[in-house]
Structures are given as C-alpha cells and as structure tokens.
Amino acid sequence: MSRYKVSLVVPIYGVEKYIRQFAQTALGQTYQDIQFVFVNDGTKDSSMEILDALIEEKYKSLKPRITIINKENGGLPSARKAGLDHAEGEYILFADSDDWLELDAVEKVMAKAEETDADIVYFDLIKEYGHKTSYKRERDYTVDTKDRFIINIFNYKSHGYTVTKCFRKRLFTDNLIYMPKYGMHEDIYLMSQIIFHAKSLVHLPEALYHYRKDNPDSFCAQDREKRHIASTTNLLDLYEHYRDNLVGSPVEHVAGSILMRAGQHSIMHGHDFFKEKPYLAADLRKTKISCNYRTSVLMQVIVKIYALFR
C-alpha cells in the first residue's frame, strides 16, 4: 500500500536563479496527497539554502510530506534514480528545478489517472524562451499504438520528456528497467521502456508544464557535437541491453534508428563508434533504410556504404 497517491521527484543542481520560482509552483500545488522528493545532486551554489529558506518561510506545514536527499554529484539520471528509490507514491511525477508547473497540474493529472486507471497519463507543455513561448501539443496514443509512440519519440514527432508523464511506480518495480548512464536523451532511454511496459496510457490535452529553454547552464545548451556524442552513447547502451533479444523488446522498432544515428555521428563528428562498438558495422549492414528514422535517407545510404568498409 502506497503512503501517498503521487510523489513529485525533483533533482537539484546549479539552479539558484530558478529554484524559488519552481519550488513555489511545486509546493503550492492544489493537490494534497503528494510527497515532495528533492534530490540535492551535490550542488555547489545556494540552491538548497534558497529552498530551505522558502520552506521555512511559506511551507512549514508541508514538512511532513517533504523528503530531501543529499548525494554526491552524479548527473540527472542518478539523481532521478535516487529520488525514485525514496518515492512512496503510487504514481511518480518528475520535474526539473529550473522549470515550473501550473499550480493545478498535479490535481488535473491525478483526476485523469483516477478517472481512467491509466498506467501513464501524459500531457502537453509550454516551452519558455524568455521573450516568447511555444505550446507543444502531444499526439494521442493508446496502448494499442504505444509502439508508434516509441517510434515517434525517436524520430522527434512526439515528446520523450520524462517531465510530461505521470506513471505508476510499479512500472519500475514490476519490470526490469535499465537506467541511463548519461544526461543526454536520458528521457528517451527511460520513457521508451516505461511506455513499452504500460498496459494503459491516456493523453491529457492541457499544457501543465513550463519547460525553460533560456537557461544557458542546462545540458541541452551545451556544444551540439558533445550532445550528439553523449546521446548516441546513451542510446547504444540501451540497444546493447536488448541486442540479443530484440523481438518483443522496447527497442525492437527503433534499433535501426539508434544504429543509423551512431553511424551518422561517427562520420559527422569523427567520434569512432565503430571502433568502440565492434558489432556496429555488422549490425548496420543488416539494417534496412527507413523513412521512420531521424537520420535522412541520404545519410542512411552513406552510413550503409561506410559500414561495408569497416
């Protein structure tokens, strides 16, 4: 029996400019049956001091429902995992501490979860660019089209964001879920598995999350080449977990996409994934060209030719 209906898990690192705004929208949620799990991922700035002061100043009554975890810096995936390990809710929501929530976000998500008994409730978001905003509406999927959901996440036609999905904790505890090693496309890595194991999912067509795109310190704002290499390394790790048993696995329909991306970034960025992953050339030679991949058809042809000589 879960102690709470939902746990909100929030990693914290280097967000002293944003943590007060985020915490006010998190701790100010209209929904009551919620546990707040803040994970201090070894932040070196004053983020935790600001959070502690805000709790003392405005949210003392919530202290029994607030869990604060202090750990050495290990990056976003390890912080989320630490928070998940301490989450006592039936459902899990993740949020990033440089973003913010609508004040009734959790109330609306949990109403939909209780109405539909869904394993996953996913919702829309607003990207915040400082000088402008952009509403990002998700497509509608059911459990019968979840394979298409995963495919579309990989080809960027749907959002893989962990922060726009509320899911039953038992999806983690009842299934073997691999955790990403690195902080780039860790959402795709994790959510492709969670969606695969879900027995029901439902779309809530409301923008409940504000995703900040003007934070210069965020990982996504870093050098494009480094992001591509980190992303490919992460996704190849996911592929390797299922490589020997692809059929009926979370990556069955996206394995080719992962391999083509690895080949593309080897060529474009001079990072030799072919040398790092001895299986890559052979697996690429067996991979069919597809319009479903993020990699262009022309680049797929180049990758296939390149693989023939490796």
Side-chain angles (χ1 to χ4, degrees), residues 238-291:
L238 177 64
Y239 170 74
E240 287 166 8
H241 283 300
Y242 298 102
R243 180 172 175 258
D244 294 332
N245 295 285
L246 277 178
V247 177
S249 79
V251 299
E252 176 181 3
H253 302 293
V254 294
S257 181
I258 294 171
L259 295 171
M260 285 294 184
R261 186 176 301 184
Q264 176 185 358
H265 292 159
S266 289
I267 295 168
M268 289 177 58
H269 302 308
H271 186 95
D272 198 349
F273 285 108
F274 288 90
K275 184 177 180 180
E276 286 184 6
K277 310 292 183 181
Y279 62 78
L280 181 57
D283 286 11
L284 269 168
R285 288 194 287 268
K286 294 183 289 185
T287 299
K288 294 180 179 179
I289 291 172
S290 172
C291 294

Side-chain angles (χ1 to χ4, degrees), residues 13-170:
Y13 184 85
V15 290
E16 62 183 6
K17 292 188 291 186
Y18 311 113
I19 184 63
R20 187 175 181 88
Q21 179 186 16
F22 170 79
Q24 286 177 321
T25 67
L27 298 171
Q29 287 294 307
T30 57
Y31 192 74
Q32 296 300 306
D33 193 6
I34 178 173
Q35 175 198 20
F36 304 95
V37 184
F38 295 104
V39 183
N40 171 17
D41 190 32
T43 190
K44 298 175 182 177
D45 66 1
S46 59
S47 297
M48 294 309 299
E49 288 82 356
I50 294 170
L51 175 62
D52 290 340
L54 181 64
I55 292 171
E56 290 296 327
E57 174 190 333
K58 292 186 64 176
Y59 302 104
K60 262 189 177 180
S61 63
L62 297 181
K63 276 189 171 184
R65 294 194 273 130
I66 297 174
T67 301
I68 295 179
I69 303 161
N70 296 295
K71 62 182 288 294
E72 292 184 1
N73 179 250
L76 182 60
S78 71
R80 284 179 173 170
K81 178 63 166 59
L84 186 66
D85 290 342
H86 287 80
E88 301 177 66
E90 178 185 351
Y91 283 86
I92 304 294
L93 271 167
F94 285 110
D96 292 337
S97 49
D98 55 350
D99 299 328
W100 69 95
L101 301 158
E102 290 291 310
L103 290 175
D104 58 355
V106 179
E107 182 177 354
K108 288 181 174 179
V109 168
M110 294 314 301
K112 180 62 72 172
E114 292 174 6
E115 173 194 339
T116 62
D117 196 34
D119 280 347
I120 298 176
V121 176
Y122 63 99
F123 45 93
D124 301 343
L125 80 160
I126 295 174
K127 289 189 176 182
E128 301 282 350
Y129 294 90
H131 60 287
K132 67 176 183 178
T133 63
S134 177
Y135 188 113
K136 299 297 181 181
R137 188 186 188 281
E138 186 55 275
R139 299 170 181 230
D140 293 320
Y141 298 98
T142 68
V143 69
D144 294 325
T145 56
K146 64 183 181 181
D147 287 343
R148 174 52 55 183
F149 196 177
I150 295 170
I151 291 169
N152 282 344
I153 285 173
F154 272 81
N155 64 24
Y156 297 3
K157 291 181 179 179
S158 280
H159 304 132
Y161 304 127
T162 303
V163 295
T164 59
K165 295 166 187 65
C166 177
F167 51 89
R168 290 189 198 273
K169 187 180 181 183
R170 72 182 185 208

